[in-house]
Amino acid sequence: MSADGRPDLDSIINRTSTSRFQTLIIAICTAVMIVDGFDTQSISFAAPAIAATWHVQPSSFGFVFGIGLFGGLIGAITTGVIADRIGRKPTLMITVLLFGLASLATPLADSMTTLGVIRFVTGLGVGGALPGAIAIAAEYAPKRARATVAAITFCGIPLGSVIGSVLSSQLIPAFGWQSVFIAGGLLPLLLLPLIGVCVPESIRFLALKHDQAAIAKLLTRMGIPEAEAARVEIRSDAEPRRAPMRSLFTEGRALGTSLLSLALFLTLLMAFLVVNWIPTLATRSGIGTSAAILGVAALNIGGILGALVISRISLRRAPGMVISLFYVLGAVAIASVGQAGSSGTWLLISAFVAGFLAIGAQMCTVSLLAIYYDTRLRATGVGWAMGCGRVGGIIGPIIGGALIAASIGMGVIFVVAGLVCVACAVTVFAIGRLVLRAPAELDVSAPNATSTT
């Protein structure tokens, strides 16, 4: 409440129950993340079929995987600036339109160079859509449910990968690799009318613009009495400014920031090395196309379930130690994926276990960022570390391509991925021992999930 008794925006949203209007917004934003995850991984599903059709070496896809992820990094950075100027809703619609059209254009590619350019543009769209969808969903949730909403929305990305795996395993044998990108293009385009009609502008953006009338209208749709909605106070500090980047390395935070950034770099390098190359490597080993693609689905389903279990355990004990242990176990599981040979059953079982342990730990690693940084530094710290992680995500598939080009077998490649997972364990263990020294004081309400994509 303000000095004159007027309710402020945060207090109104936080004290109300979640309305159908808010639930619909969150559901549509999660749907955006699902198609985002589908389109991010669609190239890895189609790569074996494209390589066979174009008679190119599978190793050449390392560059295509990497440049698509690089586009995602650029998209995530640039859309934040654009959203601050024109709003989060129009930015979200532009980015969804962009990756939908780029996906539809992918079957027109006739060379690896053209394919790389299209994947870069697709990456701009999928990377740019993520922050807008997450922000809008979280802002329309009460504070008590904000972390849960962010985690659920994030889980749309691996869920999209799972759905894409299942669809691709059926579409590619029946209709060719082009069908995956047609489906991946139509789905976001079908979402656009729903976003336009049902998703409002970010309420924080409207507060920054001091649009009292628009805010009052939205609050009324959220079930707030019209008279109270019209009296809401809009604070000038409705959205906190980010702290300077140098603050992450001052006042004794240099070690913590460095270790957390390294952890994100290594864990996403490991995740994208595994996720992007499973279909191609499994196909080369004699496993059928459908089973090879479903290996990614098994990995992601395991990751989602693992994240739920690991986060529960880590909240009761020192999170750094718990996550580190699961990384160690995950390293063994990842190495076992490379021993699948021509057995589709072994691939699916080992990929699920690897996902549960290693990818589940990867999804929980971001919670360490929210725990370590205070409110003033949290947005800056998470943004910096996730940027480092995306660099690892770009390098991972390129390393895989280089190993394949050197005629390294599937077993050795997954051992390499397992060793990276061990490095993740060592780094997170160091974070637990050297940085997070007071588990009883940790903020267990922080978000505990992120995505490999």
Side-chain angles (χ1 to χ4, degrees):
M1 286 284 185
S2 64
D4 60 0
R6 294 170 63 197
D8 63 75
L9 184 59
D10 282 334
S11 66
I12 285 184
I13 295 176
N14 292 336
R15 75 169 187 254
T16 59
S17 58
T18 306
S19 65
R20 290 183 180 180
F21 176 58
Q22 291 162 282
T23 301
L24 179 62
I25 295 170
I26 294 166
I28 293 174
C29 289
T30 303
V32 171
M33 291 297 92
I34 290 173
V35 296
D36 190 297
F38 186 141
D39 279 358
T40 298
Q41 290 302 131
S42 59
I43 186 63
S44 64
F45 306 145
I50 297 174
T53 302
W54 290 359
H55 304 290
V56 297
Q57 292 297 318
S59 59
S60 60
F61 280 88
F63 169 75
V64 175
F65 295 155
I67 198 170
L69 295 169
F70 179 67
L73 173 60
I74 300 300
I77 294 171
T78 57
T79 52
V81 177
I82 296 171
D84 286 342
R85 292 181 177 274
I86 69 172
R88 286 176 179 165
K89 177 179 177 177
T91 303
L92 178 62
M93 295 188 69
I94 291 169
T95 52
V96 170
L97 176 64
L98 180 62
F99 76 76
L101 293 177
S103 182
L104 287 176
T106 305
L108 302 177
D110 56 3
S111 67
M112 294 299 288
T113 300
T114 307
L115 183 62
V117 171
I118 294 175
R119 288 307 299 175
F120 176 78
V121 176
T122 305
L124 291 175
V126 296
L130 190 150
I134 296 293
I136 291 174
E139 287 175 7
Y140 280 97
K143 186 176 182 179
R144 63 184 179 277
R146 201 162 291 158
T148 302
V149 167
I152 290 172
T153 311
F154 261 118
C155 282
I157 297 176
L159 179 58
S161 181
V162 171
I163 293 172
S165 301
V166 174
L167 284 178
S168 298
S169 69
Q170 302 301 312
L171 289 174
I172 292 176
F175 305 106
W177 63 265
Q178 296 90 343
S179 59
V180 174
F181 298 101
I182 293 172
L186 291 177
L187 289 173
L189 295 183
L190 290 173
L191 269 179
L192 273 177
L194 280 177
I195 299 171
V197 173
C198 301
V199 176
E201 179 55 88
S202 156
I203 202 162
R204 305 291 178 208
F205 181 81
L206 295 174
L208 287 174
K209 298 297 182 182
H210 294 275
D211 193 338
Q212 185 86 43
I215 291 175
K217 184 177 180 180
L218 287 174
L219 291 176
T220 302
R221 295 185 68 183
M222 291 163 58
I224 307 299
E226 189 173 345
E228 186 176 2
R231 295 177 59 246
V232 67
E233 179 192 25
I234 302 176
R235 295 178 178 176
S236 59
D237 60 345
E239 188 161 298
R241 295 179 181 272
R242 284 194 172 194
M245 196 72 70
R246 64 178 179 273
S247 299
L248 301 178
F249 298 92
T250 59
E251 300 177 7
R253 285 184 288 266
L255 177 62
T257 294
S258 299
L259 287 174
L260 288 163
S261 300
L262 178 61
L264 267 293
F265 173 85
L266 290 171
T267 193
L268 288 180
L269 189 156
M270 174 272 297
F272 279 102
L273 172 58
V274 172
V275 169
N276 279 282
W277 286 111
I278 279 182
T280 297
L281 290 171
T283 302
R284 285 208 324 167
S285 297
I287 295 175
T289 300
S290 295
I293 294 173
L294 288 175
V296 178
L299 188 84
N300 279 290
I301 291 172
I304 295 170
L305 296 177
L308 297 174
V309 172
I310 297 169
S311 64
R312 285 273 186 170
I313 298 173
S314 66
L315 290 181
R316 294 178 175 85
R317 295 173 176 84
M321 308 304 165
V322 172
I323 296 171
S324 176
L325 174 61
F326 275 89
Y327 271 130
V328 171
L329 298 174
V332 178
I334 288 174
S336 73
V337 175
Q339 305 305 313
S342 59
S343 172
T345 301
W346 179 284
L347 173 70
L348 294 176
I349 294 173
S350 60
F352 175 83
V353 175
F356 186 92
L357 298 170
I359 303 301
Q362 179 255 316
M363 288 185 177
C364 290
T365 299
V366 77
S367 66
L368 302 182
L369 301 173
I371 288 170
Y372 179 65
Y373 295 111
D374 58 29
T375 302
R376 182 179 66 90
L377 286 171
R378 189 166 293 146
T380 303
V382 171
W384 169 267
M386 289 304 296
C388 294
R390 283 184 176 273
V391 173
I394 293 166
I395 294 174
I398 295 175
I399 290 175
L403 293 174
I404 293 173
S407 300
I408 304 298
M410 178 176 175
V412 175
I413 291 175
F414 280 93
V415 167
V416 170
L419 291 175
V420 177
C421 197
V422 171
C424 295
V426 172
T427 305
V428 174
F429 181 81
I431 291 170
R433 290 297 299 272
L434 303 176
V435 178
L436 305 177
R437 296 179 178 176
E441 299 175 5
L442 298 180
D443 177 11
V444 297
S445 67
N448 56 21
T450 187
S451 171
T452 61
T453 53

